[in-house]
């Protein structure tokens, strides 16, 4: 190799080495700093980084889930649902009780369904149209459908009743939950129609659930 070629190669290696050093020491703000930022985009980035595995901080997620910015709160809630820790489950339960934002409560209810040990009665109470808004009710039904995926048989009677719920979105999640639990499809049921118009189909579903040992 000529002297000139050696010099070029040495220069390239030096540039590469410099780049690696810069990458090592210029990683930008850490997740905790982003979470404390006054900029909601930074706080959203913190929740995303935790979701990507850049940090394992239930306490930070708890903080972000109560953020005044709805997008930040919901991103953190979705991550809490996937983490499956006792801390994250308790945080979601507290959000359901305390949050005044319908979308946040609905997201927390839906995320709680990821937790196998969650109390389904927390979600059942949210289905009451006289006590909650439509968004929260839909989130609760989604949470129950997810709980059904864990084989929680006690969700069967709740889901069956929800087939006649006033809200079409609740009915849609109810039939999905029944499939998640029973692995049976009921194409005769139409969630867009009120329950009283589908009494025969709902009775048929009830009988099949009972035959499958999911109802007494």
């Amino acid at each position: 190799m000529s002297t000139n070629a050696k010099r070029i190669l040495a220069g390239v290696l030096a540039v590469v080495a410099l780049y690696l050093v810069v990458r090592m020491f210029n990683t930008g703000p850490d997740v905790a700093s982003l979470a404390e930022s006054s900029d909601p985009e930074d706080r959203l980035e913190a929740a995303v980084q935790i979701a990507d595995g850049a940090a394992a901080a239930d306490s930070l997620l708890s903080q972000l889930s109560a953020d005044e910015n709805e997008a930040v709160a919901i991103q953190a809630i979705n991550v809490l649902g996937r983490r499956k820790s006792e801390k994250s489950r308790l945080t979601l339960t507290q959000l359901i009780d305390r949050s005044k934002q319908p979308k946040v409560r609905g997201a927390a209810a839906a995320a709680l369904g990821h937790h196998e040990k969650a109390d389904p009665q927390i979600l059942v109470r949210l289905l009451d149209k006289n006590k909650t808004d439509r968004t929260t009710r839909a989130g609760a039904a989604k949470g129950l459908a997810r709980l059904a995926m864990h084989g929680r048989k006690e969700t069967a009677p709740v889901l069956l009743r929800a087939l006649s719920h006033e809200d079409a979105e609740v009915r849609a999640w109810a039939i999905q939950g029944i499939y998640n639990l029973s692995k049976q499809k009921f194409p005769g049921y139409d969630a867009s129609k009120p329950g009283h118009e589908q009494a025969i189909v709902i009775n048929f579903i009830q009988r099949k659930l009972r035959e499958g040992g999911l109802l007494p």
Side-chain angles (χ1 to χ4, degrees):
M1 182 181 291
S2 66
T3 301
N4 191 44
K6 289 179 179 179
R7 288 176 178 172
I8 293 174
L9 178 60
V12 170
L13 292 174
V15 170
V16 171
L18 179 61
Y19 170 76
L20 292 174
V21 170
V22 170
R23 281 286 303 273
M24 183 180 301
F25 291 101
N26 186 28
T27 57
D30 61 21
V31 174
S33 297
L34 289 170
E36 296 293 341
S37 171
S38 60
D39 187 342
E41 289 191 8
D42 286 343
R43 301 196 299 276
L44 182 60
E45 177 63 25
V48 169
Q49 284 194 24
I50 294 173
D52 290 341
D58 280 344
S59 58
L60 277 182
L61 284 169
S62 179
Q63 171 187 325
L64 292 168
S65 68
D67 198 277
E68 62 183 16
N69 184 280
E70 196 172 80
V72 174
I74 290 175
Q75 172 64 30
I77 286 167
N78 290 337
V79 179
L80 283 167
R82 296 192 294 270
R83 286 179 71 79
K84 310 291 179 66
S85 68
E86 182 67 10
K87 169 72 172 177
S88 63
R89 185 178 66 81
L90 291 174
T91 298
L92 292 172
T93 303
Q94 290 168 357
L95 278 171
I96 290 170
D97 290 337
R98 299 174 184 174
S99 178
K100 304 300 182 184
Q101 297 171 275
K103 289 185 179 179
V104 169
R105 291 188 78 199
L112 188 62
H114 284 301
H115 291 258
E116 186 174 355
K117 295 182 179 180
D119 181 0
Q121 289 305 311
I122 294 172
L123 302 175
V124 172
R125 289 192 290 269
L126 298 178
L127 295 178
D128 187 339
K129 70 172 185 174
N130 296 316
K131 297 179 180 178
T132 57
D133 57 274
R134 188 178 297 272
T135 302
T136 300
R137 293 196 294 270
K142 187 175 183 179
L144 285 166
R146 285 173 168 171
L147 266 183
M149 294 182 70
H150 296 298
R152 297 286 297 272
K153 293 174 63 175
E154 65 268 45
T155 62
V158 179
L159 294 168
L160 182 68
R161 290 195 301 272
L163 294 178
S164 299
H165 198 277
E166 295 86 349
D167 296 353
E169 195 168 357
V170 170
R171 297 195 296 268
W173 282 115
I175 193 64
Q176 178 63 49
I178 285 173
Y179 169 74
N180 292 345
L181 187 62
S182 68
K183 307 307 178 188
Q184 295 186 70
K185 292 184 177 180
F186 298 98
Y189 178 83
D190 185 348
S192 68
K193 296 180 180 180
H196 67 267
E197 295 181 9
Q198 305 186 83
I200 293 175
V201 178
I202 292 174
N203 286 338
F204 175 76
I205 293 172
Q206 181 178 24
R207 179 163 62 83
K208 288 297 182 181
L209 292 177
R210 186 170 289 118
E211 289 174 356
L214 297 172
L215 290 174

